[in-house]
Amino acid sequence: MARARGATTAPAVAHLVRGDDPSLVAQAVRDLLPRLAGDQDPATVVEEYGGAGAEDIDVGVVVDALATPPFLAPVRIVVVRDAGRLGAPDAARLGEWLAAPVPGVVLVVVAGGGTIPASLVKAIDKTGSVTDTAVRAGRDRTQWMASQLRGAPVRLSGGAAAMLEDHLGGDLHRLAGLLDTLADAYGSDATVGEDELAPFLGEAGKVAPWDLTDAVDRGDIGQALAMLGRLRGAGEMHALAVLAVLHRHYQAMLRLDGAQVSSAEEAAELAGMRSTYPAKKAMDQARHLGSARIGRAIELLAGADLDLRGRSGLDDEVILEVLVARLSRLAGTRPGATAGRRRR
């Protein structure tokens, strides 16, 4: 969810916009520039460097622009795009300007092209504002959607908003265009329900791999198959890549099965995970399944691996759907039940 840090009551002289989705970063910049320009036409007060088509960023030219006071306008906005292409010496020169900025001049640094030097991020965070457009899963994504819909050109009913969030999945860059299309179709400020929204949705957006494994762990066969379809469709994930996701998921449980771990930190270390959150989920699910069902899951994964490599001659989609359904059913059975001992 977009958030600003380091902002003060005085207008910030520098802004950093970053995130992992270029479309959301670009949208945030489009929203920011008119606010910075105020009553001025952004086209007359904004100078841009870097970005598409530019081979490199001439920081000397950027610094000259930053050192030039506004002329015939109260503000000059200098935008540096694809700032990940800046090196440490470039960041140092911009940092020197940040230490003594020219009144009326505003620097906007836009992520892209690599990793922005940490020194520049720290300097802007200290003296200006940082907007992070990254939208995480779960509550963060729901809050981001709600904030976007509050300023939308149409009003969505509660059911339509939930329907849209579920449909977009990770393709949140599609939201702005879709809302504009709805406004063109139904008129600004129109109330759009599920029936009115449905014809405009198109293909379901991509989802994260953990959306699949979470559904499998719940034993929700229908949802697991839906998530599989979206990983393979909008996500364009190869069948063997899907299998690798599932294999890593159950491999973590296998490592934790029977282990004397009492915390998520211990589970993460034993399972070789960087984050404690998925490690705790793996620890809890390993305890839920037990050794026999974890072993059966590994057998199913091994069999599906051979089938995907040509043993059965079946279509990849069929192989994966059967695997996901069996793993989901396995998670939903009682320990020691017949379904947990069934063979292919």
Side-chain angles (χ1 to χ4, degrees), residues 126-141:
K126 182 178 179 181
T127 62
S129 73
V130 176
T131 300
D132 193 339
T133 66
V135 182
R136 315 302 176 195
R139 182 181 300 177
D140 213 16
R141 184 168 63 189

Side-chain angles (χ1 to χ4, degrees), residues 309-320:
R309 298 178 191 278
R311 182 182 69 173
S312 68
L314 293 173
D315 184 77
D316 288 356
E317 298 299 326
V318 174
I319 295 169
L320 288 177

Side-chain angles (χ1 to χ4, degrees), residues 245-328:
V245 167
L246 292 168
H247 181 268
R248 286 194 298 270
H249 186 60
Y250 282 92
Q251 184 182 53
M253 296 183 209
L254 188 62
R255 289 179 176 176
L256 294 169
D257 181 37
Q260 300 301 313
V261 292
S262 57
S263 68
E265 290 76 15
E266 291 177 352
E269 183 176 358
L270 183 59
M273 294 179 168
R274 296 180 180 178
S275 173
T276 57
Y277 180 65
K280 184 179 186 305
K281 290 201 296 185
M283 179 176 66
D284 292 342
Q285 189 66 6
R287 291 170 178 170
H288 166 68
L289 290 178
S291 299
R293 287 191 289 175
I294 293 174
R296 176 59 181 147
I298 297 299
E299 291 178 359
L300 291 172
L301 289 163
D305 182 64
L306 292 175
D307 289 342
L308 287 173
R309 298 178 191 278
R311 182 182 69 173
S312 68
L314 293 173
D315 184 77
D316 288 356
E317 298 299 326
V318 174
I319 295 169
L320 288 177
E321 287 175 358
V322 170
L323 171 65
V324 166
R326 287 178 171 175
L327 291 174
S328 300

Side-chain angles (χ1 to χ4, degrees), residues 164 167 174 178 181-182 184-186 192 195-203:
L164 180 58
H167 185 84
R174 294 167 53 188
L178 180 55
T181 300
L182 291 172
D184 289 340
Y186 298 114
V192 178
D195 292 340
E196 292 79 18
L197 173 64
F200 293 88
L201 289 179
E203 183 183 22

